[in-house]
Amino acid sequence: MPWYKSEALLPYIQYLEPNGEASEHFRFPVQELTQIEPDTGGYKGVLAGGKCVVGDEIMVAASLKRNRIKRIVGPEGDLPRADRGDAVVLILESEIDISTGDVLHRPGEPPVRSDQFQAHLIWMHDDPMLPERSYLLIIGTQTTPVQITDLKYAIDIDTDKHLPATKIERDEIAVCNFATANAIAFDSYAENAETGSFMLIDRISNDTVAGGMIDFGLHRGQNLSWQSFEINRDLRAGMKSQKPVIVWFTGLSASGKSTIADIVEQKLAAKNRHTYLLDGDNFRHGLNKDLGFTDADRVENIRRVAEVARLMADSGLIVMASFISPFRRERRMAREIAGNVDFVEVFVDTPLEICEARDPKGMYAKARKGEIPNFTGISSAYEPPEHADIHLYAGEHSPEELADEVLRKLKF
């Protein structure tokens, strides 16, 4: 057989058009709002599916509001139509609320809109993927925090077998469930590769850590909505004459976190403040008794604690949380879960040698002997806060003095 001299395979594959009904559905992810003329605004983007012509009726996936296309403007002026892959500005007949990240579609051809979905994930980073860790998801022009809520199984790339897994390493593939902080509009990858694929970004380093292909939306994410009640946080807090806050104490084991938090709570109680102290050991006797001390379990531990702290703050309480919480990503996740509740990170900075000298439970000694795996500061890393709201140099002052410093900075 003579040597093949025609078109190379890879460029040919890259420019293949998806075959099927998928790409026939009009999809227009809005990149930005722009001014075409001094008195004319439009929506810039690239058609991710289907086509559109002047006069077409469109809908906004997020709000379900309808409008019609008045003009289609390309790089060289007005166009009668635009097709998949065309970069254009759409000018609508009337003004409606559309933002960067919104997806426009035709009535009757909606994308899925949900905050939960299943996807195939390809991991591309040296640090392993851990369930429940928070990342940034970028899909088209939409960006939102996301958590991998369930690592269902890994896939052996040689045999295609499904393998049980608790984490995935670089170049491994897994099927996972995801939960986003905000509902997003998407299609399955099989239907539309543009609106069905995404990237994950590490929230600390900003590295791209993974790529994914959406299989389908999860119905539980589409059928849930927030229920509003007349009695809200402001009213509950007003009944207690205080402002809710989450005070998050982080530091090594035996750093003095719980001791300081306990004194803070006592002093607040003396001022008739309504408080609650969440402690790491106490949590593991109940709600988190099913968790160990692996990195993955530590992530889930902090997620649950943060959700409970937010609920308590929503009831109007001043909440103290005393947890080693060794990873910056999870402390950031806790702050995000708190949402619009004030969140104050307190770093109890005690040198390791002082913590070991205290060692009230003999844990450091056992960890040094290798009897306790995954012990923070010895065989598992502690990532100190880079910009703590309150930094306590706990090796230099008494717990009483440090508690007073916290109260002073909290202005209680």
Side-chain angles (χ1 to χ4, degrees):
M1 179 178 127
W3 187 255
Y4 179 78
K5 295 182 179 179
S6 187
E7 183 180 0
L9 178 62
L10 185 56
Y12 174 78
I13 292 174
Q14 288 177 329
Y15 287 101
L16 282 175
E17 292 292 330
N19 182 24
E21 187 181 353
S23 56
E24 298 304 315
H25 290 167
F26 169 65
R27 298 287 185 265
F28 188 78
V30 176
Q31 291 180 352
E32 62 176 332
L33 282 62
T34 186
Q35 289 292 123
I36 297 296
E37 298 160 358
D39 59 345
T40 304
Y43 305 98
K44 181 186 292 185
V46 177
L47 264 72
K51 63 182 180 181
C52 63
V53 300
V54 173
D56 274 355
E57 186 178 21
I58 58 94
M59 290 184 69
V60 184
S63 65
L64 302 181
K65 291 181 178 178
R66 299 186 180 219
N67 213 312
R68 287 191 180 275
I69 299 174
K70 181 179 180 180
R71 291 171 58 192
I72 301 172
V73 183
E76 298 180 2
D78 280 52
L79 301 169
R81 61 176 281 167
D83 295 288
R84 183 178 183 273
D86 288 345
V88 296
V89 174
L90 299 184
I91 299 172
L92 305 182
E93 289 185 349
S94 59
E95 288 190 10
I96 58 173
D97 186 15
I98 298 178
S99 304
T100 298
D102 277 330
V103 176
L104 309 185
H105 63 90
R106 282 198 189 91
E109 298 178 355
V112 178
R113 181 167 167 79
S114 177
D115 62 359
Q116 297 185 51
F117 58 87
Q118 177 185 294
H120 281 65
L121 188 71
I122 305 169
W123 196 252
M124 302 184 294
H125 200 267
D126 290 334
D127 293 339
M129 183 281 287
L130 300 175
E132 303 299 345
R133 177 159 279 177
S134 179
Y135 301 95
L136 278 182
L137 177 140
I138 299 177
I139 178 169
T141 58
Q142 304 170 92
T143 301
T144 182
V146 66
Q147 287 177 286
I148 300 167
T149 56
D150 184 18
L151 199 176
K152 302 184 75 173
Y153 55 84
I155 298 175
D156 188 307
I157 58 174
D158 294 320
T159 65
D160 204 32
K161 287 185 177 178
H162 298 177
L163 306 173
T166 57
K167 62 181 180 179
I168 56 174
E169 305 283 355
R170 187 185 183 95
D171 298 328
E172 292 184 339
I173 300 174
V175 171
C176 307
N177 288 347
F178 294 77
T180 56
N182 306 295
I184 58 172
F186 58 86
D187 296 290
S188 71
Y189 185 82
E191 293 175 341
N192 190 315
E194 295 290 331
T195 55
S197 59
F198 61 88
M199 296 187 300
L200 293 186
I201 308 297
D202 185 278
R203 307 197 62 181
I204 301 297
S205 66
N206 288 323
D207 291 339
T208 299
V209 296
M213 299 166 287
I214 295 177
D215 300 325
F216 49 79
L218 299 176
H219 291 299
R220 60 176 178 261
Q222 300 168 46
N223 298 332
L224 297 176
S225 60
W226 281 101
Q227 182 67 47
S228 297
F229 296 101
E230 292 299 319
I231 306 300
N232 57 26
R233 183 195 311 146
D234 290 340
L235 184 55
R236 298 185 193 106
M239 294 166 64
K240 298 175 177 63
S241 300
Q242 63 185 34
K243 184 178 181 181
V245 61
I246 297 172
V247 186
W248 192 280
F249 293 84
T250 177
L252 293 169
S253 179
S255 62
K257 301 181 300 299
S258 294
T259 301
I260 297 167
D262 184 30
I263 296 172
V264 169
E265 186 176 33
Q266 291 178 48
K267 290 177 178 287
L268 288 172
K271 298 180 180 182
N272 293 319
R273 302 293 187 181
H274 298 255
T275 64
Y276 200 90
L277 172 56
L278 302 173
D279 176 77
D281 284 355
N282 293 350
F283 241 78
R284 287 184 177 273
H285 282 297
L287 182 62
N288 291 352
K289 69 189 305 180
D290 61 319
L291 300 177
F293 292 90
T294 64
D295 286 354
D297 282 349
R298 289 177 186 273
V299 172
E300 173 61 6
N301 181 53
I302 296 306
R303 187 193 69 81
R304 295 183 191 179
V305 172
E307 293 285 1
V308 171
R310 183 184 63 81
L311 289 172
M312 287 187 157
D314 200 52
S315 73
L317 295 177
I318 298 167
V319 183
M320 268 84 50
S322 174
F323 290 81
I324 294 173
S325 42
F327 303 129
R328 294 190 187 103
R329 292 178 182 87
E330 279 57 69
R331 294 194 297 268
R332 182 169 183 168
M333 174 183 68
R335 187 185 292 270
E336 288 171 352
I337 288 172
N340 58 1
V341 175
D342 285 349
F343 185 99
V344 178
E345 183 181 61
V346 180
F347 177 27
V348 183
D349 187 359
T350 307
L352 178 61
E353 57 270 19
I354 294 179
C355 295
E356 287 199 67
R358 292 172 179 170
D359 202 10
K361 306 172 189 174
M363 307 293 275
Y364 280 100
K366 292 179 180 178
R368 289 289 186 191
K369 295 176 183 176
E371 297 175 6
I372 302 178
N374 304 311
F375 191 83
T376 303
I378 305 298
S379 53
S380 183
Y382 177 81
E383 300 171 355
E386 295 176 329
H387 305 288
D389 300 300
I390 300 175
H391 192 145
L392 301 179
Y393 295 93
E396 304 171 8
H397 303 279
S398 70
E400 189 85 18
E401 292 172 325
L402 295 170
D404 286 338
E405 183 178 346
V406 172
L407 290 169
R408 193 163 51 250
K409 291 185 176 179
L410 290 175
K411 297 180 180 179
F412 280 123

